[in-house]
Amino acid sequence: MAKKSRADKATSSRAKILDAAFALFVEQGYHGASLQSIAKKAGVNKALLFYYFDNKENLFHQSFHSLLKSFLEETAKKSSLIASPKKRLEYLIDAYLERFKKGQELLHITYSEAASTSRFSRECMKKFIIRGLQPIEETISYGIEKGTFNNVNPRMAAISLIGMLRIFGIQERITGKHFKAKEIGKNAKEIFIRGLLKSEK
């Protein structure tokens, strides 16, 4: 078996640090997770962590946005192939529900850090949330331009839809009541998209 190149090792080390950082930030919050504990969990020395990320703030930012980047790139690529605004939005609802299903911990830390006393972590979560809204917001704008959707505020509509989808994860944590993603998606499409569509005259 061929030895790993220096570039491969660097990529692997960076990925391990990001994974460890994300896990500890979720578990302990921004202030609770130390750089030493992250380095230990990643199996690297602290100096290597600083080599890749400079400081804790940059590591916090990168650990979230690297996760979001891959999801957004995939959904943007697939949704761009769907011409119908309605079908495109239906696809995005399913994609976001699948993302939330795989990452309940992401939902938890987004809300906990958004309410944090740390201005930095609040600002980071703000950027994270706004970036996450982008595909839905752009699809709603696209539907308005095509004359498929009513003339609403795309940002407000995107926030409303995400809120509708995310609340199920919150209530499940609190009440233990579980709804299947397919069931949630069906209801969201029926309620949200029906309200967004222009009525046919």
Side-chain angles (χ1 to χ4, degrees), residues 86 148-150 192-199:
K86 179 176 178 289
T148 304
F149 296 153
N150 288 309
F192 187 84
I193 298 180
R194 176 179 284 190
L196 199 57
L197 288 170
K198 278 190 172 181
S199 57

Side-chain angles (χ1 to χ4, degrees), residues 19-82:
D19 287 345
F22 180 78
L24 287 178
F25 284 136
V26 167
E27 183 183 327
Q28 301 172 10
Y30 174 71
H31 288 294
S34 69
L35 291 176
Q36 184 61 48
S37 63
I38 292 169
K40 183 179 179 180
K41 187 173 181 66
V44 302
N45 61 56
K46 199 173 175 181
L48 188 63
L49 189 150
F50 278 112
Y51 174 77
Y52 287 119
F53 298 101
D54 297 328
N55 53 53
K56 186 177 177 180
E57 289 185 356
N58 187 35
L59 179 56
F60 185 79
H61 176 85
Q62 291 296 325
S63 67
F64 283 88
H65 285 272
S66 62
L67 180 72
L68 185 62
K69 182 182 177 184
S70 59
F71 170 71
L72 292 181
E73 286 177 349
E74 181 182 359
T75 53
K77 183 178 179 181
K78 290 183 177 179
S79 64
S80 66
L81 301 175
I82 306 171

Side-chain angles (χ1 to χ4, degrees), residues 38-170:
I38 292 169
K40 183 179 179 180
K41 187 173 181 66
V44 302
N45 61 56
K46 199 173 175 181
L48 188 63
L49 189 150
F50 278 112
Y51 174 77
Y52 287 119
F53 298 101
D54 297 328
N55 53 53
K56 186 177 177 180
E57 289 185 356
N58 187 35
L59 179 56
F60 185 79
H61 176 85
Q62 291 296 325
S63 67
F64 283 88
H65 285 272
S66 62
L67 180 72
L68 185 62
K69 182 182 177 184
S70 59
F71 170 71
L72 292 181
E73 286 177 349
E74 181 182 359
T75 53
K77 183 178 179 181
K78 290 183 177 179
S79 64
S80 66
L81 301 175
I82 306 171
S84 162
K86 179 176 178 289
K87 295 292 184 185
R88 186 180 294 190
L89 192 54
E90 287 176 343
Y91 160 74
L92 288 173
I93 287 172
D94 290 335
Y96 274 73
L97 280 171
E98 184 62 25
R99 175 65 264 178
F100 295 157
K101 180 182 176 184
K102 289 180 179 178
Q104 283 294 321
E105 71 284 354
L106 183 61
L107 179 65
H108 169 68
I109 194 169
T110 299
Y111 282 105
S112 63
E113 290 300 323
S116 169
T117 56
S118 165
R119 182 177 178 182
F120 165 74
S121 57
R122 288 200 313 271
E123 285 299 311
C124 187
M125 289 300 102
K126 177 183 174 182
K127 292 176 183 177
F128 182 78
I129 291 168
I130 290 172
R131 193 176 175 203
L133 289 170
Q134 192 174 346
I136 293 174
E137 188 176 346
E138 289 177 350
T139 297
I140 292 171
S141 294
Y142 170 65
I144 293 169
E145 290 169 10
K146 297 284 284 185
T148 304
F149 296 153
N150 288 309
N151 189 22
V152 298
N153 182 310
R155 171 65 60 84
M156 287 182 68
I159 292 170
S160 298
L161 177 56
I162 288 294
M164 183 185 291
L165 301 179
R166 281 187 166 181
I167 195 65
F168 286 94
I170 296 171

Side-chain angles (χ1 to χ4, degrees), residues 178-197:
H178 174 73
F179 292 94
K180 293 181 179 179
K182 190 174 182 180
E183 185 181 3
I184 297 169
K186 182 180 178 182
N187 278 274
K189 291 169 190 175
E190 181 69 19
I191 297 167
F192 187 84
I193 298 180
R194 176 179 284 190
L196 199 57
L197 288 170

